[in-house]
Amino acid sequence: MVDLLSRQAFLFYDPSNSGSIPVSKLQLALVVALGARFNQSTLLHHLPGLGLPHESSSVTYEQFQRLCDHLRGDCPAYVTREMFKATDVDDKGFLREHDWIELARSFAPALSTVQLRGAFATLDCDSDGLIGYKDFSSLSS
C-alpha cells in the first residue's frame, strides 16, 4: 500500500534524492510515517525478514515501504490515525459536535442526543468544542 505520509517521510530523510535513507534515520522516518516509535532491537529483528541484512547501512524506498506495511499491524497509533481520517470525511482535521452525533448515530442508534453530547464532551479533552486527532486518539490510550 503506497501511503503519502510514508513517502513524504522517506523523502524528508533523503534530501539529496539518492533513493535511500541511512538506517540511522529509520526510526525517525517511521515516527513520521506511522506515528509510533520503534526501538532499534525491534527494527533489527524485522530487517532480515524483509530482505535487509543487519549490517545494511541504508534502506531504499521500496524497502522502507515494505517495512512500513509490515509494521502497520503492530502500530496502534497508525490504526487510530486511519480511523480518525475515516471519520473526518470533510478532511477538516476535527469533528464538530453535529459531525460526531451524525457519525455516532450510525454505529449506536439507540443512544439519545443527550448521551451523544455527553460522549462528545468527554472526548473533547481540551474543551475547545471540537474533537481533533489528539482528542480522538485518547480513545485508544
Side-chain angles (χ1 to χ4, degrees):
M1 174 175 99
V2 175
D3 177 35
L4 183 60
L5 198 54
S6 63
R7 182 73 182 151
Q8 290 172 329
F10 184 86
L11 291 174
F12 181 79
Y13 289 101
D14 181 23
S16 64
N17 225 6
S18 68
S20 64
I21 59 173
V23 169
S24 62
K25 301 292 185 187
L26 197 52
Q27 282 179 295
L28 297 171
L30 287 168
V31 168
V32 174
L34 302 176
R37 186 174 183 91
F38 296 92
N39 64 40
Q40 193 70 21
S41 63
T42 299
L43 292 178
L44 291 176
H45 171 76
H46 288 288
L47 292 180
L50 297 168
L52 300 168
H54 285 302
E55 59 277 354
S56 180
S57 61
S58 64
V59 176
T60 66
Y61 175 69
E62 290 75 22
Q63 293 167 327
F64 180 72
Q65 190 62 52
R66 280 199 320 256
L67 182 59
C68 285
D69 289 345
H70 181 74
L71 293 173
R72 276 189 178 98
D74 297 330
C75 183
Y78 175 79
V79 172
T80 302
R81 188 176 73 222
E82 290 303 302
M83 287 174 50
F84 181 75
K85 284 171 30 182
T87 60
D88 181 18
V89 294
D90 297 330
D91 200 26
K92 296 178 288 198
F94 57 84
L95 298 172
R96 295 188 188 282
E97 186 178 61
H98 67 274
D99 299 327
W100 164 254
I101 290 172
E102 184 178 316
L103 172 70
R105 282 221 166 96
S106 69
F107 63 83
L111 294 178
S112 71
T113 301
V114 171
Q115 290 170 311
L116 294 173
R117 283 188 174 137
F120 180 87
T122 300
L123 288 171
D124 182 14
C125 298
D126 54 7
S127 301
D128 65 354
L130 306 168
I131 298 175
Y133 174 72
K134 186 176 178 183
D135 300 316
F136 190 86
S137 64
S138 72
L139 283 169
S140 63
S141 52

